Amino acid sequence: MLAEIDRTRLPRHVAAIMDGNGRWAAARGLTRIEGHAAGVESVRDTVEGAARLGLGALTVFAFSSENWRRPPGEVAALLELVGRYLRQETDNLVANDIRFRAIGRLGELPTDLQAGLGRTTEATKACRGLTLSVAVNYGSRAEIVDAVRRIAARAAREGKAPELDERRFGEYLTTSGLPDPDLLIRTSGEMRVSNFLLFQSAHTEFWTTLTLWPDFRQRDLYEAILAYQRRGRRSGGPG
Ligand code: IPE
Ligand code: IPE
Ligand code: MG
């Protein structure tokens, strides 16, 4: 399948809503937490596939600002899995020239996780291959509000509002410097955007699959990219 992909027309940025861990676990008589643990292997495989293909940017939704509503044990397990991923994968990211960044309200996370995110960001800052962004405690509306607050604070400091247009506004978002996602994948068949990259996905192609996240592998990423390449994008222009 890799050979069928047109490398000259890759999406510049692929985003993924990793969904269905709970249902995957329930179908096997496992706990939801075991489902999340299985999902980490899908992240590893997908990141490797993205790097192998030569993608510029991959952003994955690991923990939403709404996910705090889950039982405390599940919340703790999800955040712990992010920390473990960082401890286990940082050397591998560096070896594969993958630059890591975290997006979301990171200051509200447990301090050891903040430190882990900071260490991996720092360790990979000179990498120039794939940019892997992991969204943790991320909510797009909060991100937009935070951007407006920073603009207002700057206006107050400088005595005038900064010049703004859509591109400049994007520089106040946590995805600053990344192209908008060309392709957004959601697993498990759900058709919701769940407060992910609302501003950034204005012209994004959506692709959903019934596959549950713990079953998602490189071949599924490639299938999504092939589907993307078969579509005719318009962005409001003529067909
Ligand atoms: C995705 O799987 C992981 C996170 C949202 C953190 P879910 O836990 O949402 O799994 P389902 O949707 O209940 O199957
Ligand atoms: C979206 O999945 C958030 C992440 C994948 C981290 P959810 O399962 O939490 O979203 P809803 O509840 O279906 O909107
Ligand atoms: Mg879900």
Side-chain angles (χ1 to χ4, degrees), residues 33-34 36-37 71-84:
I33 292 171
E34 289 171 303
H36 298 316
E74 185 178 352
V75 168
L78 279 164
L79 298 178
E80 169 53 31
L81 283 169
V82 176
R84 198 183 306 164

Side-chain angles (χ1 to χ4, degrees), residues 1 14 16 23 45 48 57 61 69 72-74 89-90 99 109 123 144 149 153-154 158 184 187-188 207 215-216 236:
M1 208 187 292
V14 176
R23 279 162 282 170
D45 196 67
E48 187 191 303
F61 203 1
R69 296 183 194 144
E74 185 178 352
E89 290 300 307
T90 300
R99 182 158 50 161
L109 292 170
I144 292 167
R149 284 197 183 124
R154 189 169 156 192
E158 296 176 359
L184 173 63
T187 56
S188 85
W207 184 85
D215 290 326
F216 194 92

Side-chain angles (χ1 to χ4, degrees), residues 17-19 61-64 67 70 186 190 192 194:
I17 301 176
M18 310 187 285
D19 200 10
F61 203 1
F63 188 89
S64 78
N67 288 148
R70 296 188 180 201
R186 183 164 189 153
E190 302 297 352
R192 292 187 282 279
S194 297

Side-chain angles (χ1 to χ4, degrees), residues 100-239:
F100 177 89
R101 69 197 269 180
I103 64 171
R105 280 188 177 161
L106 307 181
E108 296 172 356
L109 292 170
T111 49
D112 58 334
L113 181 55
Q114 289 184 44
L117 292 166
R119 273 194 300 273
T120 303
T121 304
E122 184 62 27
T124 62
K125 71 175 184 209
C127 295
R128 289 292 171 267
L130 174 72
T131 297
L132 169 65
S133 307
V134 176
V136 201
N137 191 26
Y138 177 86
S140 188
R141 285 186 168 184
E143 178 190 38
I144 292 167
V145 170
D146 288 347
V148 173
R149 284 197 183 124
R150 286 174 47 219
I151 291 164
R154 189 169 156 192
R157 212 169 45 240
E158 296 176 359
K160 65 172 171 48
E163 262 191 61
L164 279 180
D165 54 26
E166 291 176 15
R167 188 191 58 75
R168 290 194 186 101
F169 185 80
E171 289 168 6
Y172 290 88
L173 298 173
T174 59
T175 49
S176 166
L178 292 174
D180 285 341
D182 286 318
L183 171 63
L184 173 63
I185 295 170
R186 183 164 189 153
T187 56
S188 85
E190 302 297 352
M191 301 284 180
R192 292 187 282 279
V193 64
S194 297
N195 200 15
F196 193 42
L197 304 176
L198 301 179
F199 185 87
Q200 297 89 335
S201 64
H203 296 291
T204 301
E205 293 289 329
F206 280 32
W207 184 85
T208 62
T209 173
L210 291 172
T211 299
L212 303 173
W213 180 255
D215 290 326
F216 194 92
R217 289 292 178 273
Q218 296 182 16
R219 61 171 184 277
D220 301 286
L221 173 69
Y222 297 157
E223 188 187 335
I225 291 172
L226 279 171
Y228 163 85
Q229 290 189 333
R230 283 193 295 266
R231 293 187 191 175
R233 294 186 76 192
R234 294 200 179 168
S235 304

